[in-house]
């Protein structure tokens, strides 16, 4: 009897609570309490995480696509009549500046209104998930806004008024160009130089030259090169093999982001996705990774936490879902097919990363 | 208790601007009246691009409610310059905020801007050391530290600082990274005396804490371009350590050494066929040891590496290598085609 009970317990421990996660994402899309105030300027990325999660769970029917599409378009920074603000176009993270709600142009003149590169990226992805054809996106304005953000060293600012600049925003820029199918938004060669410059002595990538290698920035580097179609041009076979080694050494049970740091569920995505892009995810231990991720589920409210027995985050839950859902071993398919799958994988940057 | 901004006479001329999410808001954050009040006036000031002391004071209130709002920080910087505010006081202000919220991107960026305007980095190393004393791996702190050292050429005492952190925690990967950063900028790694000194340093740290990926990554990173097998006697020293201070990282290093030997023998043709097969055999044994015993979580990867090396080095019909490979694949038939 005792043995049966413990077997049942074990089964219960590792079951995947799909319905709870659907409800978690639904609630996220509705109202968040004030203690989430720090997410105000990045609300569009929250939508993206929630939609990605619902998409993976095949549960997009629980939301009203059209109202959501309208809301996203209201965040587009459109050119003014005289087009003087072209270099500031893109998507906002939210209505925090106070522009009156509008889904149509022309843009409103405002001394401080501009897009944010991560919001333009997640805005476009969200529209795609919702089935929108991007016909109301002013592509030329987005690309002009993007060009204004790139520095001489190849990295990008997040916003035209200036911010920190690093590899995260190269990834956002590459994603935008890829989605809009127009690489006039960036100088690819300079971006590649910055990426190469960020390769550390230990063969992970830092946020910029000299900085400590990290799973998130390694993902940004490799994914950007894949989106550009320049992976094997930018990095030699020897370098790629060393990068594979760095990444695969991140697995402890789940994955951590840097040597000698604790595991965190989000790195199952950042590092896992990088390994998949490099064709070696198949050599990781799926079972240990899966068990770790499932152990972080919040059985009551849904969602996943960074670690077991802590609170679910709002941002990275879709990452963890992706990791479980998409990580069936794939030994069939050509390299190109797998690359395309990985490119279409839903990607995100948790709030703390910008 | 403060009156809300709406009740104060000094704000009477300004029409507050609420957020407008339209008829169907998504991910709406439920703000208290106090929060909305501050930000409704913030939006009004922003719209008029007002440059005044009351605006400056309000940015501090807005920051207290949400220090991640980058627009508030940008507007504050505009006001700092427009009103010629005391930047030393601003340094004190931003110091206090970073102490409370050390993992926020906006606050560190703001500090960097103020340091640049003052052109005075004199507080930085001590301040960052204090933040690192609370979290020795804070990525923002290390980034700021690298920036200020490089920008203002503050290299002199940094190696000493790194060593003190490694004394506290020899597994601090950020400190190892900083070690590499400092040495590569001061002397570089081409001087054999420097390389030998660093090899010694690594081996001592490895003996103290063998299961430390950071030390091994540093050693390998420093040597890999010139060739892991090139420093005289290193392979032998590592083989000795294997007996008493083994780890998956040591074994991986050995594998990489053997691979390096084989690659060089390809180019220079100075190795007998027998020696090549022996080296390959040793490399494959390491893969087997890692896969079966020392690093089983990565067993599929070590098997893959073994197969790849074998394919690179020997013909498919070499019976000795095939039998080694057979042993190492055992009977699980996990062979996955490449």
């Amino acid at each position: 009897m005792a043995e049966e009970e413990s077997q049942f317990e074990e089964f219960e421990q590792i079951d995947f609570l799909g319905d709870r996660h659907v409800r978690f994402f639904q609630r996220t899309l509705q109202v968040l309490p004030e203690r989430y105030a720090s997410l105000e300027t990045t609300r569009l990325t929250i939508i993206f995480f929630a939609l990605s999660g619902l998409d993976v769970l095949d549960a997009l029917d629980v939301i009203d696509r059209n109202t959501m599409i309208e809301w996203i378009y209201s965040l587009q920074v459109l050119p003014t009549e005289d087009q003087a603000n072209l270099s500031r176009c893109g998507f906002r993270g939210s209505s925090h500046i106070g522009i009156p709600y509008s889904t149509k142009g022309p843009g409103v003149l405002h001394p401080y209104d501009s897009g944010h590169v991560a919001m333009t990226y997640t805005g476009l992805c969200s529209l795609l998930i919702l089935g929108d054809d991007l016909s109301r996106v002013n592509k030329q304005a987005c690309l002009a806004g993007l060009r204004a953000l790139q520095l001489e060293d190849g990295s990008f600012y997040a916003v035209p008024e200036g911010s920190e600049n690093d590899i995260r925003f190269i990834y956002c820029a590459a994603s935008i160009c890829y989605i809009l199918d127009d690489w006039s938004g960036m100088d690819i060669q300079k971006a590649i130089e910055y990426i190469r410059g960020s390769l550390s002595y230990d063969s992970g990538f830092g946020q910029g030259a000299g900085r400590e290698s990290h799973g998130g920035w390694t993902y940004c580097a490799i994914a950007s090169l894949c989106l550009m179609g320049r992976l094997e041009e930018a990095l030699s076979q020897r370098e790629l093999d060393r990068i594979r080694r760095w990444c695969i050494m991140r697995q402890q049970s789940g994955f951590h982001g840097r040597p000698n740091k604790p595991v965190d569920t989000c790195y199952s995505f950042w590092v896992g996705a990088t390994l998949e892009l490099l064709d070696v995810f198949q050599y990781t231990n799926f079972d240990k990774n899966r068990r770790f991720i499932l152990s972080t589920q919040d059985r009551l409210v849904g969602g996943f936490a960074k670690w077991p027995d802590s609170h679910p985050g709002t941002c990275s839950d879709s990452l963890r879902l992706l990791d479980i859902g998409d990580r069936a071993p794939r030994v069939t398919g050509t390299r190109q097919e797998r690359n395309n799958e990985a490119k279409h994988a839903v990607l995100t940057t948790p709030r703390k990363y910008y | 208790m403060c009156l809300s901004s709406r009740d104060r006479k000094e704000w009477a001329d300004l029409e507050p601007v609420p957020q407008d999410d339209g008829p169907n808001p998504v991910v709406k954050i439920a703000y208290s009246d106090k929060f909305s009040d501050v930000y409704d006036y913030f939006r009004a000031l922003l719209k008029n691009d007002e440059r005044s002391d009351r605006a400056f004071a309000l940015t501090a209130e807005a920051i207290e409610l949400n220090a991640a709002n980058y627009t508030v920080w940008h507007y504050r910087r505009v006001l700092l310059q427009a009103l010629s505010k005391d930047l030393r006081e601003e340094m004190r202000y931003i110091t206090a905020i970073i102490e409370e919220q050390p993992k926020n991107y906006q606050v560190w960026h703001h500090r960097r801007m103020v340091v640049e305007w003052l052109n005075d980095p004199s507080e930085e190393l001590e301040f960052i050391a204090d933040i690192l004393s609370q979290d020795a791996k804070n990525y923002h702190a290390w980034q700021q530290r690298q920036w200020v050292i490089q920008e203002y050429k503050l290299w002199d005492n940094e190696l000493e600082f790194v060593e003190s952190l490694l004394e506290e925690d020899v597994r601090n990967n950020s400190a190892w990274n900083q070690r590499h950063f400092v040495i590569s900028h001061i002397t570089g790694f081409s001087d054999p005396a420097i390389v030998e000194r660093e090899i010694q340093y690594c081996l001592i740290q490895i003996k103290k804490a063998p299961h430390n990926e950071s030390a091994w990554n540093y050693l390998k990173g420093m040597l890999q371009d010139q060739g892991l097998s090139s420093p005289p006697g290193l392979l032998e020293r590592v083989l000795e350590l294997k007996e008493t201070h083994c780890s998956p990282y040591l074994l991986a290093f050995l594998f990489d050494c053997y691979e390096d030997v084989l690659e060089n023998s390809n180019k220079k043709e100075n190795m007998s066929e027998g020696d090549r097969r022996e080296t390959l055999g040793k490399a494959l044994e390491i893969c087997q040891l890692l896969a079966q015993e020392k690093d089983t979580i990565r067993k599929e990867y070590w098997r893959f590496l073994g197969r790849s090396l074998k394919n690179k080095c020997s013909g498919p019909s070499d019976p000795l290598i095939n039998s080694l490979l057979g042993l190492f694949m055992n009977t699980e038939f996990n062979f996955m085609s490449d």
Side-chain angles (χ1 to χ4, degrees):
Chain A
M1 272 292 141
E3 202 186 289
E4 273 177 41
E5 273 168 19
S6 73
Q7 273 175 359
F8 180 76
E9 229 174 65
E10 211 194 358
F11 177 80
E12 238 195 343
Q13 280 305 304
I14 61 167
D15 65 331
F16 175 65
L17 305 164
D19 286 342
R20 300 242 173 193
H21 301 311
V22 170
R23 288 200 285 282
F24 179 84
F25 288 127
Q26 268 182 294
R27 284 197 307 276
T28 302
L29 287 168
Q30 288 156 7
V31 182
L32 293 178
E34 189 181 280
R35 68 174 182 275
Y36 289 96
S38 66
L39 301 180
E40 174 62 48
T41 55
T42 60
R43 280 162 60 200
L44 186 47
T45 66
I46 310 298
I47 279 120
F48 171 66
F49 305 145
L51 289 177
S52 310
L54 289 172
D55 190 22
V56 167
L57 294 171
D58 210 17
L60 280 173
D61 55 323
V62 307
I63 50 123
D64 181 337
R65 290 178 195 239
N66 287 329
T67 57
M68 216 153 279
I69 288 172
E70 292 308 302
W71 188 84
I72 295 170
Y73 273 116
S74 79
L75 296 175
Q76 187 172 192
V77 179
L78 287 162
T80 51
E81 296 262 11
D82 61 0
Q83 310 233 320
N85 68 335
L86 268 188
S87 63
R88 291 160 60 188
C89 289
F91 281 73
R92 309 174 190 99
S94 80
S95 54
H96 73 275
I97 299 271
I99 305 286
Y101 180 90
S102 168
T103 58
K104 301 195 240 295
V108 168
L109 196 61
H110 188 293
Y112 290 93
D113 188 30
S114 59
H116 182 298
V117 76
M119 309 307 142
T120 305
Y121 155 55
T122 51
L124 292 174
C125 280
S126 299
L127 288 170
L128 289 174
I129 294 170
L130 293 167
D132 186 73
D133 64 0
L134 305 187
S135 55
R136 288 190 276 165
V137 174
N138 187 324
K139 295 178 175 131
Q140 291 313 312
C142 281
L143 292 166
L146 193 56
R147 279 191 292 275
L149 299 175
Q150 190 168 22
L151 285 83
E152 259 312 295
D153 68 3
S155 68
F156 280 75
Y157 287 130
V159 290
E161 48 271 23
S163 70
E164 68 282 10
N165 58 289
D166 54 62
I167 207 168
R168 294 169 290 157
F169 306 132
I170 294 182
Y171 169 70
C172 294
S175 301
I176 292 165
C177 289
Y178 182 85
I179 290 170
L180 298 180
D181 196 18
D182 188 332
W183 292 89
S184 70
M186 62 192 289
D187 182 325
I188 291 182
Q189 204 42 54
K190 286 194 179 151
I192 290 176
E193 277 161 31
Y194 188 91
I195 291 172
R196 279 199 57 83
S198 305
L199 183 60
S200 167
Y201 63 87
D202 66 3
S203 301
F205 287 86
Q207 211 168 21
R211 301 181 208 167
E212 188 184 3
S213 55
H214 179 290
W217 321 142
T218 301
Y219 171 79
C220 288
I222 297 296
S224 296
L225 292 174
C226 287
L227 287 166
M228 293 170 190
R230 304 284 186 104
L231 182 71
E232 270 148 20
E233 182 190 309
L235 296 165
S236 69
Q237 275 311 310
R238 183 194 299 242
E239 284 169 330
L240 287 169
D241 284 338
R242 287 174 181 164
I243 293 163
R244 289 179 176 106
R245 173 79 63 85
W246 186 89
C247 290
I248 213 151
M249 295 305 290
R250 295 312 114 233
Q251 186 168 23
Q252 311 298 297
S253 51
F255 288 77
H256 62 195
R258 295 182 260 171
N260 291 319
K261 288 274 278 179
V263 284
D264 178 329
T265 44
C266 70
Y267 296 111
S268 291
F269 181 81
W270 299 125
V271 180
T274 309
L275 288 166
E276 177 72 5
L277 290 170
L278 296 173
D279 284 325
V280 289
F281 184 78
Q282 57 185 306
Y283 304 122
T284 62
N285 187 312
F286 301 139
D287 188 56
K288 290 204 161 143
N289 186 31
R290 186 189 184 92
R291 280 175 191 277
F292 174 73
I293 297 172
L294 289 173
S295 75
T296 69
Q297 280 183 115
D298 187 311
R299 303 186 74 78
L300 203 57
V301 304
F304 293 81
K306 286 160 73 76
W307 313 296
D309 298 327
S310 75
H311 296 295
T314 51
C315 306
S316 306
D317 302 280
S318 61
L319 293 178
R320 288 131 190 174
L321 272 179
L322 279 172
D323 210 73
I324 296 175
D326 286 352
R327 297 312 170 208
R330 286 200 198 89
V331 294
T332 55
T334 62
R335 191 176 188 286
Q336 184 58 42
E337 282 166 11
R338 283 181 292 189
N339 265 346
N340 287 338
E341 269 177 42
K343 282 182 196 175
H344 292 113
V346 191
L347 309 163
T348 190
T349 48
R351 173 67 190 85
K352 67 173 185 169
Y353 291 110
Y354 53 83
Chain B
M1 185 166 158
C2 295
L3 290 172
S4 77
S5 299
R6 287 177 204 278
D7 299 332
R8 287 185 229 149
K9 271 194 294 226
E10 58 263 36
W11 294 97
D13 61 301
L14 208 51
E15 188 63 37
V17 176
Q19 250 181 303
D20 183 1
D21 278 312
N24 298 297
V26 188
V27 189
K28 191 161 177 59
I29 300 175
Y31 292 118
S32 62
D33 287 342
K34 182 190 171 180
F35 197 114
S36 302
D37 190 51
V38 169
Y39 271 89
D40 287 349
Y41 278 92
F42 169 71
R43 283 183 273 272
L45 292 166
L46 212 59
K47 186 172 159 192
N48 299 334
D49 198 6
E50 184 175 308
R51 311 278 175 99
S52 66
D53 277 320
R54 72 174 179 179
F56 187 71
L58 194 77
T59 61
E61 287 189 71
I63 283 163
E64 192 170 344
L65 293 171
N66 177 11
N69 188 317
Y70 59 84
T71 308
V72 177
W73 284 106
H74 171 63
Y75 184 51
R76 187 177 173 91
R77 282 191 289 276
V78 167
L79 293 168
L80 278 168
Q81 303 221 292
L83 306 172
S84 302
K85 287 296 195 184
D86 181 346
L87 295 179
R88 300 266 167 215
E89 202 176 312
E90 189 67 4
M91 280 296 286
R92 287 191 286 276
Y93 173 72
I94 195 63
T95 295
I97 300 216
I98 295 177
E99 292 278 357
E100 286 166 28
Q101 304 186 52
K103 295 204 174 177
N104 164 321
Y105 276 93
Q106 288 71 38
V107 301
W108 284 98
H109 177 67
H110 188 77
R111 186 185 179 94
R112 177 168 156 166
M113 296 303 294
V114 179
V115 168
E116 280 182 358
W117 290 342
L118 283 169
N119 200 29
D120 177 7
S122 60
E123 293 178 28
E124 292 317 278
L125 295 182
E126 191 181 326
F127 169 69
I128 297 166
D130 182 59
I131 297 292
L132 289 173
S133 72
Q134 296 162 50
D135 173 0
K137 302 181 185 184
N138 182 323
Y139 204 91
H140 304 269
W142 282 110
Q143 187 158 303
Q144 181 88 347
R145 199 170 178 91
Q146 286 195 352
W147 167 71
V148 83
I149 286 174
Q150 203 157 10
E151 186 72 16
Y152 296 98
K153 304 189 185 354
L154 303 175
W155 302 99
D156 287 351
N157 300 316
E158 191 62 3
L159 191 56
E160 195 185 313
F161 177 71
V162 163
E163 291 199 348
S164 72
L165 285 185
L166 288 174
E167 270 297 306
E168 278 174 33
D169 178 8
V170 72
R171 293 184 180 84
N172 183 338
N173 195 67
S174 310
W176 282 99
N177 181 73
Q178 191 76 344
R179 188 180 184 93
H180 192 277
F181 174 73
V182 169
I183 294 176
S184 54
H185 280 93
I186 294 185
T187 54
F189 290 97
S190 44
D191 179 352
I194 302 273
V195 172
E196 182 51 37
R197 181 194 78 194
E198 292 302 298
I199 292 175
Q200 279 307 316
Y201 183 81
C202 285
L203 295 179
I204 289 170
Q205 305 314 321
I206 286 165
K207 283 179 191 151
K208 279 192 215 164
H211 202 87
N212 181 3
E213 190 188 347
S214 301
W216 284 104
N217 283 357
Y218 183 89
L219 185 64
K220 183 173 5 177
M222 177 178 54
L223 299 173
Q224 66 194 1
D225 287 334
Q226 69 195 66
L228 291 182
S229 53
S230 65
L234 181 61
L235 180 56
E236 288 68 25
R237 282 188 275 184
V238 174
L239 283 167
E240 261 177 48
L241 268 182
K242 176 170 174 279
E243 300 313 307
T244 49
H245 297 80
C246 198
S247 71
Y249 320 113
L250 182 149
L251 294 171
F253 187 90
L254 268 182
F255 174 87
D256 293 332
C257 281
Y258 292 135
E259 190 180 34
D260 188 55
V261 166
L262 289 166
E263 268 175 29
N264 286 333
S265 75
N266 263 339
K267 292 174 200 157
K268 294 175 192 166
E269 295 173 13
N270 59 353
M271 216 179 173
S272 71
E273 189 52 38
D275 284 345
R276 275 174 55 83
R277 281 169 54 179
E278 192 186 335
T279 302
L280 178 58
K282 285 183 193 166
L284 295 180
E285 263 174 37
I286 300 264
C287 286
Q288 182 178 21
L289 183 57
L290 283 162
Q292 301 215 317
E293 194 184 322
K294 297 288 189 181
D295 195 29
T296 57
I297 196 170
R298 269 169 282 276
K299 67 177 186 222
E300 298 304 333
Y301 173 71
W302 297 118
R303 288 175 178 161
F304 160 68
L305 269 203
R307 287 194 302 276
S308 304
L309 185 64
K310 182 241 169 192
N311 288 339
K312 261 190 270 183
C313 291
S314 67
S317 56
D318 184 317
L320 173 60
I321 299 303
N322 280 337
S323 63
L324 266 173
L325 204 59
L327 263 176
F328 135 106
M329 298 303 292
N330 66 45
T331 55
E332 286 178 321
F333 295 111
N334 278 335
F335 198 97
M336 287 161 109
S337 60
D338 289 330

